[in-house]
Amino acid sequence: MQIKINYIIYAVIISTITAYFSLGHLHPDEYYQILEFAAYKLQLRSTNNLTWEFYEQIRPSIQAWFVVYLYKALAFIKCTNPFTITFITRLLSGLLSLYAICLFINTFKSYLHTENKQKWFILLSLFSWLAIFNGIRFSSENISGKIFLIAFCLAINPNFRKNMFSYLLIGILLGFSFIVRFQVGFMIFGFLLWLLIIQKTPIKYLTITVIGLLISAIIGLYLDYLFYGNFVITPWRYFAANLIQGKAAEFSSDPWFFYLTIAAFIPYGPLFIIASLYFIYVRPKNPISWIMVPFIFVHLIISHKEPRFMTPLMSFMPFVILDSLQALKEKYNFVISNKLAKLNTVAWRVNLFAVIIVMFFPSAMQIRINKLMYDYKKPTVFYHITQNGNMLTFYTQPNLRTSKIASPSEAVCAPNENCVLALTCQETLKYGEPNGKLIFSDCPSWLFKLNFNDWISRTPLYRIYELQSVESK
């Protein structure tokens, strides 16, 4: 069964809409380890408030460099709007993801022996809400995972593996997936073992693949040298800081079964876990098993765990689920009952509803404050009491000055300067509404009446008041 052209068109449209509306970042690392690094290199900010990873020199710089040169390219046409730049990164991430997924579908659909399973393989791969939401992320987990997926499919496809150059390109792609996110190295390790032991790839071709991988690694080292200003082996420093020194464990330390929380990614999350375990058991010679086992094992024994760490494996899940069902049919003559079929229909409808949500909602709600403040073109002071009022440096105008105060009474507006005050909803309850125009609110007044167990005090919801505006003067 071929991928219908209509499916591809729909997938591109959905991905583009999601990229446009999905403002902000899913996890702080997506912002602080990429956009803040780029802002530093663009001289939009100093090193004073960069995260500890910058000073430890443990993060790869390749994605930050991409943003830097995208920013400079758009500067030629006088477009340095950070929201346009990040939209483009999400759009390109989405297109990369769709290409990788379509390549994966075309490479593995023949492994599924019925047209119905092939159809669901296509639908789940292209239109699951998790694939769409993760696919447009310019995060290291997504980008590295998709580059690996492309290399993986090219290496599996016998029509591509025809000469030395093919293996060199596969190695280069594997290397780039590594220098984007070092943990993908465990997937690469498992895949190279599969090529050697199961596929029995000739040593000369494996050598060329490894040479390609090393070429990418050298490029990564050079980019990091340019970024940090000195020669540094970031993969080693990352390993030493997080595993030997235990820096990652300072953020959280979780038991091995923490990753069972992936089951919460309804409606198909529970199947990710069950099908993966069964697939590894029943398909021990499949290359997907060989990349899953080392990657999952290492993440289980590392104390700091987050569901996002499993993102590079998510694109494999639709095939893993459907091939596991196929294996059950082969071994035990398992047939999906009418009740299970109806349950899947409900699950698919829940998934489509989730797709609509992720298409139109920002991934980080607080980014709306930054978008609001970017529209102030004249000098502006942004007063705040808690944190930094959710202002993120990469998204701020050069004329924006943030000022932390102890109470609203300290917000003094200078002549010829816009004056804005950010209060959390809890601070609004504590101090009352200031004399100013409410221009943004996460918490309407009626929400204060629903402050059960004082949940508002523990939630970063904001109200923004314009105390003085000189924009129209």
mmCIF file with all atom_site columns, all heavy atoms in Angstrom, residues 364-380:
data_model
loop_
_atom_site.group_PDB
_atom_site.id
_atom_site.type_symbol
_atom_site.label_atom_id
_atom_site.label_alt_id
_atom_site.label_comp_id
_atom_site.label_asym_id
_atom_site.label_entity_id
_atom_site.label_seq_id
_atom_site.pdbx_PDB_ins_code
_atom_site.Cartn_x
_atom_site.Cartn_y
_atom_site.Cartn_z
_atom_site.occupancy
_atom_site.B_iso_or_equiv
_atom_site.pdbx_formal_charge
_atom_site.auth_seq_id
_atom_site.auth_comp_id
_atom_site.auth_asym_id
_atom_site.auth_atom_id
_atom_site.pdbx_PDB_model_num
ATOM 1   N N   . ALA A 1 364 ? 4.342  26.471 25.061 1.00 0.00 ? 364 ALA A N   1
ATOM 2   C CA  . ALA A 1 364 ? 4.686  27.159 26.311 1.00 0.00 ? 364 ALA A CA  1
ATOM 3   C C   . ALA A 1 364 ? 3.789  28.389 26.410 1.00 0.00 ? 364 ALA A C   1
ATOM 4   O O   . ALA A 1 364 ? 3.969  29.363 25.674 1.00 0.00 ? 364 ALA A O   1
ATOM 5   C CB  . ALA A 1 364 ? 6.162  27.557 26.333 1.00 0.00 ? 364 ALA A CB  1
ATOM 6   N N   . MET A 1 365 ? 2.828  28.332 27.306 1.00 0.00 ? 365 MET A N   1
ATOM 7   C CA  . MET A 1 365 ? 1.828  29.398 27.383 1.00 0.00 ? 365 MET A CA  1
ATOM 8   C C   . MET A 1 365 ? 2.455  30.759 27.700 1.00 0.00 ? 365 MET A C   1
ATOM 9   O O   . MET A 1 365 ? 1.995  31.794 27.226 1.00 0.00 ? 365 MET A O   1
ATOM 10  C CB  . MET A 1 365 ? 0.785  29.049 28.447 1.00 0.00 ? 365 MET A CB  1
ATOM 11  C CG  . MET A 1 365 ? -0.002 27.775 28.150 1.00 0.00 ? 365 MET A CG  1
ATOM 12  S SD  . MET A 1 365 ? -1.032 27.887 26.668 1.00 0.00 ? 365 MET A SD  1
ATOM 13  C CE  . MET A 1 365 ? -2.379 28.884 27.292 1.00 0.00 ? 365 MET A CE  1
ATOM 14  N N   . GLN A 1 366 ? 3.545  30.757 28.495 1.00 0.00 ? 366 GLN A N   1
ATOM 15  C CA  . GLN A 1 366 ? 4.122  32.029 28.914 1.00 0.00 ? 366 GLN A CA  1
ATOM 16  C C   . GLN A 1 366 ? 4.776  32.788 27.768 1.00 0.00 ? 366 GLN A C   1
ATOM 17  O O   . GLN A 1 366 ? 5.054  33.979 27.884 1.00 0.00 ? 366 GLN A O   1
ATOM 18  C CB  . GLN A 1 366 ? 5.144  31.821 30.033 1.00 0.00 ? 366 GLN A CB  1
ATOM 19  C CG  . GLN A 1 366 ? 6.422  31.097 29.628 1.00 0.00 ? 366 GLN A CG  1
ATOM 20  C CD  . GLN A 1 366 ? 6.320  29.596 29.797 1.00 0.00 ? 366 GLN A CD  1
ATOM 21  O OE1 . GLN A 1 366 ? 5.226  29.041 29.753 1.00 0.00 ? 366 GLN A OE1 1
ATOM 22  N NE2 . GLN A 1 366 ? 7.444  28.949 30.015 1.00 0.00 ? 366 GLN A NE2 1
ATOM 23  N N   . ILE A 1 367 ? 4.997  32.089 26.628 1.00 0.00 ? 367 ILE A N   1
ATOM 24  C CA  . ILE A 1 367 ? 5.632  32.764 25.501 1.00 0.00 ? 367 ILE A CA  1
ATOM 25  C C   . ILE A 1 367 ? 4.746  33.875 24.960 1.00 0.00 ? 367 ILE A C   1
ATOM 26  O O   . ILE A 1 367 ? 5.210  34.815 24.297 1.00 0.00 ? 367 ILE A O   1
ATOM 27  C CB  . ILE A 1 367 ? 5.962  31.743 24.390 1.00 0.00 ? 367 ILE A CB  1
ATOM 28  C CG1 . ILE A 1 367 ? 7.088  32.274 23.486 1.00 0.00 ? 367 ILE A CG1 1
ATOM 29  C CG2 . ILE A 1 367 ? 4.741  31.417 23.560 1.00 0.00 ? 367 ILE A CG2 1
ATOM 30  C CD1 . ILE A 1 367 ? 8.409  32.357 24.162 1.00 0.00 ? 367 ILE A CD1 1
ATOM 31  N N   . ARG A 1 368 ? 3.454  33.816 25.274 1.00 0.00 ? 368 ARG A N   1
ATOM 32  C CA  . ARG A 1 368 ? 2.530  34.864 24.807 1.00 0.00 ? 368 ARG A CA  1
ATOM 33  C C   . ARG A 1 368 ? 2.892  36.215 25.416 1.00 0.00 ? 368 ARG A C   1
ATOM 34  O O   . ARG A 1 368 ? 2.680  37.264 24.792 1.00 0.00 ? 368 ARG A O   1
ATOM 35  C CB  . ARG A 1 368 ? 1.100  34.487 25.156 1.00 0.00 ? 368 ARG A CB  1
ATOM 36  C CG  . ARG A 1 368 ? 0.605  33.216 24.475 1.00 0.00 ? 368 ARG A CG  1
ATOM 37  C CD  . ARG A 1 368 ? -0.744 32.782 25.026 1.00 0.00 ? 368 ARG A CD  1
ATOM 38  N NE  . ARG A 1 368 ? -0.661 32.522 26.452 1.00 0.00 ? 368 ARG A NE  1
ATOM 39  C CZ  . ARG A 1 368 ? -1.715 32.534 27.274 1.00 0.00 ? 368 ARG A CZ  1
ATOM 40  N NH1 . ARG A 1 368 ? -2.914 32.809 26.786 1.00 0.00 ? 368 ARG A NH1 1
ATOM 41  N NH2 . ARG A 1 368 ? -1.574 32.277 28.553 1.00 0.00 ? 368 ARG A NH2 1
ATOM 42  N N   . ILE A 1 369 ? 3.458  36.198 26.624 1.00 0.00 ? 369 ILE A N   1
ATOM 43  C CA  . ILE A 1 369 ? 3.885  37.449 27.255 1.00 0.00 ? 369 ILE A CA  1
ATOM 44  C C   . ILE A 1 369 ? 5.036  38.057 26.463 1.00 0.00 ? 369 ILE A C   1
ATOM 45  O O   . ILE A 1 369 ? 5.064  39.270 26.202 1.00 0.00 ? 369 ILE A O   1
ATOM 46  C CB  . ILE A 1 369 ? 4.303  37.206 28.717 1.00 0.00 ? 369 ILE A CB  1
ATOM 47  C CG1 . ILE A 1 369 ? 3.127  36.637 29.517 1.00 0.00 ? 369 ILE A CG1 1
ATOM 48  C CG2 . ILE A 1 369 ? 4.831  38.485 29.347 1.00 0.00 ? 369 ILE A CG2 1
ATOM 49  C CD1 . ILE A 1 369 ? 3.477  36.262 30.937 1.00 0.00 ? 369 ILE A CD1 1
ATOM 50  N N   . ASN A 1 370 ? 5.996  37.214 26.065 1.00 0.00 ? 370 ASN A N   1
ATOM 51  C CA  . ASN A 1 370 ? 7.109  37.700 25.257 1.00 0.00 ? 370 ASN A CA  1
ATOM 52  C C   . ASN A 1 370 ? 6.631  38.256 23.920 1.00 0.00 ? 370 ASN A C   1
ATOM 53  O O   . ASN A 1 370 ? 7.154  39.263 23.443 1.00 0.00 ? 370 ASN A O   1
ATOM 54  C CB  . ASN A 1 370 ? 8.096  36.551 25.019 1.00 0.00 ? 370 ASN A CB  1
ATOM 55  C CG  . ASN A 1 370 ? 8.812  36.129 26.282 1.00 0.00 ? 370 ASN A CG  1
ATOM 56  O OD1 . ASN A 1 370 ? 9.895  36.593 26.584 1.00 0.00 ? 370 ASN A OD1 1
ATOM 57  N ND2 . ASN A 1 370 ? 8.185  35.245 27.044 1.00 0.00 ? 370 ASN A ND2 1
ATOM 58  N N   . LYS A 1 371 ? 5.652  37.596 23.328 1.00 0.00 ? 371 LYS A N   1
ATOM 59  C CA  . LYS A 1 371 ? 5.119  38.080 22.041 1.00 0.00 ? 371 LYS A CA  1
ATOM 60  C C   . LYS A 1 371 ? 4.425  39.426 22.221 1.00 0.00 ? 371 LYS A C   1
ATOM 61  O O   . LYS A 1 371 ? 4.550  40.325 21.384 1.00 0.00 ? 371 LYS A O   1
ATOM 62  C CB  . LYS A 1 371 ? 4.149  37.054 21.464 1.00 0.00 ? 371 LYS A CB  1
ATOM 63  C CG  . LYS A 1 371 ? 3.964  37.170 19.952 1.00 0.00 ? 371 LYS A CG  1
ATOM 64  C CD  . LYS A 1 371 ? 3.224  35.974 19.406 1.00 0.00 ? 371 LYS A CD  1
ATOM 65  C CE  . LYS A 1 371 ? 3.270  35.935 17.885 1.00 0.00 ? 371 LYS A CE  1
ATOM 66  N NZ  . LYS A 1 371 ? 2.960  37.184 17.221 1.00 0.00 ? 371 LYS A NZ  1
ATOM 67  N N   . LEU A 1 372 ? 3.716  39.571 23.315 1.00 0.00 ? 372 LEU A N   1
ATOM 68  C CA  . LEU A 1 372 ? 3.054  40.838 23.624 1.00 0.00 ? 372 LEU A CA  1
ATOM 69  C C   . LEU A 1 372 ? 4.079  41.961 23.778 1.00 0.00 ? 372 LEU A C   1
ATOM 70  O O   . LEU A 1 372 ? 3.938  43.050 23.215 1.00 0.00 ? 372 LEU A O   1
ATOM 71  C CB  . LEU A 1 372 ? 2.230  40.694 24.905 1.00 0.00 ? 372 LEU A CB  1
ATOM 72  C CG  . LEU A 1 372 ? 1.607  41.971 25.470 1.00 0.00 ? 372 LEU A CG  1
ATOM 73  C CD1 . LEU A 1 372 ? 0.438  42.410 24.601 1.00 0.00 ? 372 LEU A CD1 1
ATOM 74  C CD2 . LEU A 1 372 ? 1.150  41.743 26.907 1.00 0.00 ? 372 LEU A CD2 1
ATOM 75  N N   . MET A 1 373 ? 5.141  41.691 24.536 1.00 0.00 ? 373 MET A N   1
ATOM 76  C CA  . MET A 1 373 ? 6.133  42.724 24.823 1.00 0.00 ? 373 MET A CA  1
ATOM 77  C C   . MET A 1 373 ? 6.983  43.062 23.601 1.00 0.00 ? 373 MET A C   1
ATOM 78  O O   . MET A 1 373 ? 7.518  44.162 23.503 1.00 0.00 ? 373 MET A O   1
ATOM 79  C CB  . MET A 1 373 ? 7.033  42.290 25.980 1.00 0.00 ? 373 MET A CB  1
ATOM 80  C CG  . MET A 1 373 ? 6.309  42.120 27.315 1.00 0.00 ? 373 MET A CG  1
ATOM 81  S SD  . MET A 1 373 ? 5.262  43.538 27.729 1.00 0.00 ? 373 MET A SD  1
ATOM 82  C CE  . MET A 1 373 ? 6.459  44.857 27.714 1.00 0.00 ? 373 MET A CE  1
ATOM 83  N N   . TYR A 1 374 ? 7.106  42.136 22.662 1.00 0.00 ? 374 TYR A N   1
ATOM 84  C CA  . TYR A 1 374 ? 7.915  42.407 21.480 1.00 0.00 ? 374 TYR A CA  1
ATOM 85  C C   . TYR A 1 374 ? 7.297  43.507 20.627 1.00 0.00 ? 374 TYR A C   1
ATOM 86  O O   . TYR A 1 374 ? 7.994  44.173 19.863 1.00 0.00 ? 374 TYR A O   1
ATOM 87  C CB  . TYR A 1 374 ? 8.088  41.135 20.645 1.00 0.00 ? 374 TYR A CB  1
ATOM 88  C CG  . TYR A 1 374 ? 9.117  41.286 19.558 1.00 0.00 ? 374 TYR A CG  1
ATOM 89  C CD1 . TYR A 1 374 ? 10.477 41.182 19.847 1.00 0.00 ? 374 TYR A CD1 1
ATOM 90  C CD2 . TYR A 1 374 ? 8.737  41.559 18.243 1.00 0.00 ? 374 TYR A CD2 1
ATOM 91  C CE1 . TYR A 1 374 ? 11.430 41.328 18.855 1.00 0.00 ? 374 TYR A CE1 1
ATOM 92  C CE2 . TYR A 1 374 ? 9.689  41.705 17.245 1.00 0.00 ? 374 TYR A CE2 1
ATOM 93  C CZ  . TYR A 1 374 ? 11.025 41.598 17.564 1.00 0.00 ? 374 TYR A CZ  1
ATOM 94  O OH  . TYR A 1 374 ? 11.969 41.754 16.566 1.00 0.00 ? 374 TYR A OH  1
ATOM 95  N N   . ASP A 1 375 ? 5.996  43.701 20.764 1.00 0.00 ? 375 ASP A N   1
ATOM 96  C CA  . ASP A 1 375 ? 5.316  44.729 19.975 1.00 0.00 ? 375 ASP A CA  1
ATOM 97  C C   . ASP A 1 375 ? 5.593  46.145 20.473 1.00 0.00 ? 375 ASP A C   1
ATOM 98  O O   . ASP A 1 375 ? 5.251  47.114 19.799 1.00 0.00 ? 375 ASP A O   1
ATOM 99  C CB  . ASP A 1 375 ? 3.804  44.472 19.971 1.00 0.00 ? 375 ASP A CB  1
ATOM 100 C CG  . ASP A 1 375 ? 3.435  43.224 19.191 1.00 0.00 ? 375 ASP A CG  1
ATOM 101 O OD1 . ASP A 1 375 ? 4.199  42.869 18.282 1.00 0.00 ? 375 ASP A OD1 1
ATOM 102 O OD2 . ASP A 1 375 ? 2.402  42.606 19.503 1.00 0.00 ? 375 ASP A OD2 1
ATOM 103 N N   . TYR A 1 376 ? 6.207  46.267 21.652 1.00 0.00 ? 376 TYR A N   1
ATOM 104 C CA  . TYR A 1 376 ? 6.590  47.592 22.149 1.00 0.00 ? 376 TYR A CA  1
ATOM 105 C C   . TYR A 1 376 ? 7.900  48.000 21.470 1.00 0.00 ? 376 TYR A C   1
ATOM 106 O O   . TYR A 1 376 ? 8.950  47.408 21.716 1.00 0.00 ? 376 TYR A O   1
ATOM 107 C CB  . TYR A 1 376 ? 6.760  47.572 23.667 1.00 0.00 ? 376 TYR A CB  1
ATOM 108 C CG  . TYR A 1 376 ? 5.460  47.595 24.432 1.00 0.00 ? 376 TYR A CG  1
ATOM 109 C CD1 . TYR A 1 376 ? 4.722  46.435 24.627 1.00 0.00 ? 376 TYR A CD1 1
ATOM 110 C CD2 . TYR A 1 376 ? 4.959  48.791 24.951 1.00 0.00 ? 376 TYR A CD2 1
ATOM 111 C CE1 . TYR A 1 376 ? 3.521  46.448 25.312 1.00 0.00 ? 376 TYR A CE1 1
ATOM 112 C CE2 . TYR A 1 376 ? 3.759  48.814 25.643 1.00 0.00 ? 376 TYR A CE2 1
ATOM 113 C CZ  . TYR A 1 376 ? 3.048  47.643 25.819 1.00 0.00 ? 376 TYR A CZ  1
ATOM 114 O OH  . TYR A 1 376 ? 1.859  47.685 26.508 1.00 0.00 ? 376 TYR A OH  1
ATOM 115 N N   . LYS A 1 377 ? 7.827  49.013 20.613 1.00 0.00 ? 377 LYS A N   1
ATOM 116 C CA  . LYS A 1 377 ? 9.000  49.403 19.827 1.00 0.00 ? 377 LYS A CA  1
ATOM 117 C C   . LYS A 1 377 ? 9.861  50.451 20.532 1.00 0.00 ? 377 LYS A C   1
ATOM 118 O O   . LYS A 1 377 ? 11.057 50.535 20.295 1.00 0.00 ? 377 LYS A O   1
ATOM 119 C CB  . LYS A 1 377 ? 8.559  49.941 18.465 1.00 0.00 ? 377 LYS A CB  1
ATOM 120 C CG  . LYS A 1 377 ? 7.658  48.998 17.684 1.00 0.00 ? 377 LYS A CG  1
ATOM 121 C CD  . LYS A 1 377 ? 8.307  47.636 17.452 1.00 0.00 ? 377 LYS A CD  1
ATOM 122 C CE  . LYS A 1 377 ? 7.395  46.710 16.668 1.00 0.00 ? 377 LYS A CE  1
ATOM 123 N NZ  . LYS A 1 377 ? 7.960  45.350 16.528 1.00 0.00 ? 377 LYS A NZ  1
ATOM 124 N N   . LYS A 1 378 ? 9.234  51.251 21.395 1.00 0.00 ? 378 LYS A N   1
ATOM 125 C CA  . LYS A 1 378 ? 9.992  52.292 22.089 1.00 0.00 ? 378 LYS A CA  1
ATOM 126 C C   . LYS A 1 378 ? 10.536 51.749 23.403 1.00 0.00 ? 378 LYS A C   1
ATOM 127 O O   . LYS A 1 378 ? 10.122 50.685 23.864 1.00 0.00 ? 378 LYS A O   1
ATOM 128 C CB  . LYS A 1 378 ? 9.099  53.513 22.321 1.00 0.00 ? 378 LYS A CB  1
ATOM 129 C CG  . LYS A 1 378 ? 8.730  54.239 21.026 1.00 0.00 ? 378 LYS A CG  1
ATOM 130 C CD  . LYS A 1 378 ? 7.991  55.539 21.306 1.00 0.00 ? 378 LYS A CD  1
ATOM 131 C CE  . LYS A 1 378 ? 7.693  56.266 19.999 1.00 0.00 ? 378 LYS A CE  1
ATOM 132 N NZ  . LYS A 1 378 ? 6.982  57.555 20.229 1.00 0.00 ? 378 LYS A NZ  1
ATOM 133 N N   . PRO A 1 379 ? 11.482 52.465 24.038 1.00 0.00 ? 379 PRO A N   1
ATOM 134 C CA  . PRO A 1 379 ? 12.046 51.993 25.310 1.00 0.00 ? 379 PRO A CA  1
ATOM 135 C C   . PRO A 1 379 ? 10.958 51.620 26.316 1.00 0.00 ? 379 PRO A C   1
ATOM 136 O O   . PRO A 1 379 ? 9.993  52.364 26.513 1.00 0.00 ? 379 PRO A O   1
ATOM 137 C CB  . PRO A 1 379 ? 12.872 53.184 25.775 1.00 0.00 ? 379 PRO A CB  1
ATOM 138 C CG  . PRO A 1 379 ? 13.276 53.872 24.514 1.00 0.00 ? 379 PRO A CG  1
ATOM 139 C CD  . PRO A 1 379 ? 12.102 53.710 23.585 1.00 0.00 ? 379 PRO A CD  1
ATOM 140 N N   . THR A 1 380 ? 11.142 50.445 26.911 1.00 0.00 ? 380 THR A N   1
ATOM 141 C CA  . THR A 1 380 ? 10.121 49.893 27.810 1.00 0.00 ? 380 THR A CA  1
ATOM 142 C C   . THR A 1 380 ? 10.786 49.295 29.039 1.00 0.00 ? 380 THR A C   1
ATOM 143 O O   . THR A 1 380 ? 11.803 48.606 28.923 1.00 0.00 ? 380 THR A O   1
ATOM 144 C CB  . THR A 1 380 ? 9.298  48.804 27.093 1.00 0.00 ? 380 THR A CB  1
ATOM 145 O OG1 . THR A 1 380 ? 8.708  49.348 25.909 1.00 0.00 ? 380 THR A OG1 1
ATOM 146 C CG2 . THR A 1 380 ? 8.227  48.233 27.994 1.00 0.00 ? 380 THR A CG2 1
#
